[in-house]
Amino acid sequence: MSTHESVDRPTRPGVPSSLQELYDLDTRPVPDALRADSHPDFGLTGIARDRYLSREFHQLEIEHVWSRTWQMACREEHLPDAGSHVVYDVGDLSLIVIRGHDGEIRAFHNSCLHRGTQLRMEDGQVDRLRCPFHGFTWELDGTMCELPVRGTFRTSIPTRTNSPRRRSAPGAASCS
Ligand code: FES
């Protein structure tokens, strides 16, 4: 028996019976990647144990999968208010997914532009994103708003000071 054999599911009136039917009802554009619908037959051969333990394979997954694909970081309702955020870590990437004062959800690298300090360690709510090391601070839309003791730094301050942003998609808070 194939592991991808179709199964008759009970249907209820008004309730989509598939993910694609659910997308059809969405009032917002659905990313093309979510419309891709295929069921390749991977057979029944077991996957070698070292596939899960191999450092090299892990690096390949980061390079070819996790850094290139849309991922669901959280649901919109997990970010109810301005400043609500989640820290989303995958592989060697760490992102902050945060709701702005304008209601938009954005994703930023969880790394200070000055020395790379991790900006947020855990989920929560903030008025602004402030680096715990020297206090560089960004508004919720990634605009730099505070650069304390600018003159005391011997090395140059980067000219591009807005927080680097990742792509994010509406619906569930997804990012790539
Ligand atoms: S490392 Fe963030 S302000 Fe210096």
Side-chain angles (χ1 to χ4, degrees):
M1 179 177 125
S2 165
T3 56
H4 305 290
E5 202 168 278
S6 66
V7 176
D8 288 331
R9 296 184 181 91
T11 57
R12 288 187 299 172
V15 177
S17 63
S18 71
L19 202 50
Q20 294 302 327
E21 284 183 28
L22 184 65
Y23 293 152
D24 291 340
L25 299 173
D26 202 317
T27 57
R28 294 166 291 194
V30 176
D32 290 341
L34 295 179
R35 286 296 193 175
D37 194 17
S38 65
H39 300 280
D41 184 359
F42 294 112
L44 298 175
T45 306
I47 297 173
R49 184 171 173 266
D50 66 354
R51 178 69 60 87
Y52 298 98
L53 305 174
S54 160
R55 167 64 56 186
E56 292 75 27
F57 202 84
H58 173 68
Q59 290 302 331
L60 288 171
E61 285 183 334
I62 289 176
E63 184 181 337
H64 295 284
V65 180
W66 302 119
S67 62
R68 294 171 177 237
T69 57
W70 286 96
Q71 294 165 55
M72 180 162 164
C74 65
R75 294 176 57 93
E76 274 193 17
E77 57 264 36
H78 294 150
L79 307 173
D81 306 307
S84 299
H85 63 276
V86 299
V87 174
Y88 182 71
D89 297 323
V90 60
D92 55 358
L93 290 173
S94 182
L95 303 172
I96 303 171
V97 183
I98 189 165
R99 187 180 292 277
H101 290 292
D102 57 0
E104 185 177 342
I105 294 174
R106 300 174 177 88
F108 299 105
H109 286 279
N110 188 10
S111 173
C112 179
L113 281 171
H114 183 218
R115 294 280 189 260
T117 301
Q118 189 170 1
L119 295 172
R120 300 296 303 165
M121 301 294 284
E122 56 190 29
D123 304 348
Q125 186 177 17
V126 292
D127 292 331
R128 297 185 295 181
L129 290 168
R130 181 176 172 84
C131 176
F133 200 167
H134 306 109
F136 286 24
T137 306
W138 291 268
E139 298 289 357
L140 301 182
D141 65 358
T143 307
M144 175 161 261
C145 60
E146 205 173 306
L147 206 162
V149 290
R150 177 191 288 262
T152 64
F153 292 105
R154 277 190 283 159
T155 55
S156 63
I157 301 297
T159 51
R160 184 179 61 82
T161 50
N162 287 350
S163 187
R165 186 175 173 186
R166 298 289 293 207
R167 293 185 303 161
S168 57
S174 309
C175 47
S176 73

